[in-house]
Amino acid sequence: MSDIERLRHSCAHVMATAILRIWPDAQFAYGPPIENGFYYDFQMKHRVTPDDFEKIEAEMKKISKENQKFEWKGISREDAKAMAESGRLGGLSERPGNPSVFKLDLIDKIPEGEQISCFQNGDFIDLCAGPHVGYSGKCKNVKLTSVSSSFYMGDDTKPQLQRLYGTAFESREELEAYFVRLEEAKKRDHRRLGKELKLFHIDEDVGQGLILWTPNGAVLRQELQSFISEELRKQGYHQVFTPHIGKLALYKTSGHFPYYKESQFPAIIEPDALQQIAHEGCGCAEMTARLDAVSAQFANQLNERTGREVIGQDRIMDPEKLLDGFLLKPMNCPHHIKIFGSQPRSYRDLPVRLAEFGTVYRWEQSGELNGLTRVRGFTQDDAHLFCTEDQVAAEVLGCLSLVKIVLTTLGMTDYRVRVGLRDADSSKFTGNPEQWDKAEDACRKAAATLGVPFTEEPGEAAFYGPKIDFVIKDVIGREWQLGTVQVDYVLPVRFDLSYVGADNKPHRPVMIHRAPFGSMERFCGVLIEHFAGHFPTWLAPEQIRILTISEKVDAFADEIFAQLKTAGLRVTLNNDADKIGAKIRNAQLDKVPYMLVLGEKEAAAGGVSVRHAKRGDLGVRSIADFLADVTAEVRERQL
RNA sequence: GCCGAAGUAGCUCAGAGGUAGAGCAGCGCAUUCGUAAUGCGCGGGUCGCGGGUUCAAUUCCCGCCUUCGGCUCCA
């Protein structure tokens, strides 16, 4: 544990002590240091609100002044249990009738034979492995930041606890600097900039988590798509288009329906069928069952193909009663699979790489929605690669290099790479173990070539195969998964895909799912924050703004405007009656990369005064020079 | 979905049981100006939505919706 973590952990104990002095019934669960501070989870009758912070902080100050010593004590399991039973553990004194329930549970979770220890500061004794600072006097530069709720052990079937967050630093200056930094970070929040720069809009009447791309944001997105499309052409991809819905049977085959029902928009039922079931007086439960069900033939075929019972007897129904419908597509794979399967394929054709900016819809929980980063409808820069088993490693590598090109071009270097592996004892993962091993190995090896540290995370795989994810942090430190590359041995079996090998026999292809941006929405959200709204010229919705000094140069300004426009640049003209200072200020606030100041001086010389939003006044230049430089800057996608 | 907080003009926010205010933005007029705010004037709000209490509710109470911070979830 680092020094700052040790300090913050001690602050969590000081906070607990303060809470107990005010509300003695509090039962504490778990209180670790975290990236920017610490928290403690607890349960008590009083509900803490931000109005209570002052009172709690005052008590914490007092405890810090008392300069209590943090003392380590090794105790036996029996003693620990006895102390928890009496309410002494995680309390200021024994609390008859109020046993330390969470501490009791935590003690049970400590493996047999491991040393159990507690720490005492003043009257507060807590089950804790430490370490801690020497004295509470160190815990003086501390501030409570927020209160929320959490589930005990992160399990939503366990009791809901209150979680109080705080932060602490060695010095007061560092503490203050932290909050200044936080304020600065908020200014680059994509939700705020999205409004200020008119990039996107979310409208209640359209629906939560559904993005309306306004003209400025549409430019940003379109430029990114063009960039990706160019790279895809270089790498031998084929562009396809598919509809936004597909029949339920498609998703029953893929295995997504009904198992992921909670995260899909409900099925769309055909009008005739809807009328029929309404006529029959069919209830909701009955309707759901009939939607979920399949015919015996369907189940048998799929079970036979996969070699296991993926569809149980309970889902089989008389074909007469089956209810058909459509699903708003939650992913693009089945559609692409159908394109691959639409014609015979030879091993000579492989790999087949099908790409689409495919829009998908997922029913995310309302509390999870967040600006552009977590939405209910989004467009993936998706592609599916169908290849032979021998080609998997090379194709994964190709996908990774694409992700790397993308991130490098945008100057995004602060990301981490996660290799998601299967969790041995989870039934969530399908397919055979040897293929999993092979695929996991290919991912691991490919990730190693990135030259970026990566972590292997068991249980993070997709149900059909392992994956490599690129994860980036937003301004407030939350992590978002962007690019992803996933190897899949399962869907080709479920859809019975095949190609003809050199031996003139059918073979099963392997699929790779990949999206370098992940989703256009999320990526743009992260990108807005990355650039703090100051996009490089090639991405800027408005690249150049012409600012006139007086009406006398209107004709000259029109001429320059027309020239830049003809050159394909996104240019606007501000010939309002404002003073030049105001025009510059407005252009700066709109984060327009180039401002061209035109007055009588420029008109006489036939030049333009160039000002850059970040580099300031660049002096007078000839229009030809300026045009050449900016077009090159845009063409080369300079940062 | 759960816990907590919030919702007043396009934006940022103030306000109070007696049907609302500022700054910025917008519009109009004047100004013709040299690298981050020219002046004057005008318009703009069913105070998130629906109920209830009250002579009177935007303000108090209840329900809902949306947003924000967490939790859980993320094929």
Side-chain angles (χ1 to χ4, degrees), chain A residues 42-76:
Chain A
F42 53 91
Q43 191 173 49
M44 64 183 190
K45 229 183 262 133
H46 175 77
R47 283 211 174 284
V48 175
T49 72
D51 293 339
D52 297 318
F53 287 5
E54 212 175 308
K55 191 161 51 173
I56 301 170
E57 281 173 359
E59 201 58 47
M60 290 172 71
K61 289 258 148 64
K62 232 189 270 175
I63 294 162
S64 174
K65 283 233 172 75
E66 289 165 19
N67 207 19
Q68 302 173 342
K69 186 171 169 43
F70 278 96
E71 285 180 281
W72 183 88
K73 257 183 226 142
I75 49 175
S76 69

Side-chain angles (χ1 to χ4, degrees), chain A residues 23 258 270 276 283 319 520 559 564:
Chain A
W23 300 284
E270 293 169 25
Q276 178 63 28
M520 298 310 296
E559 221 176 278
L564 295 171

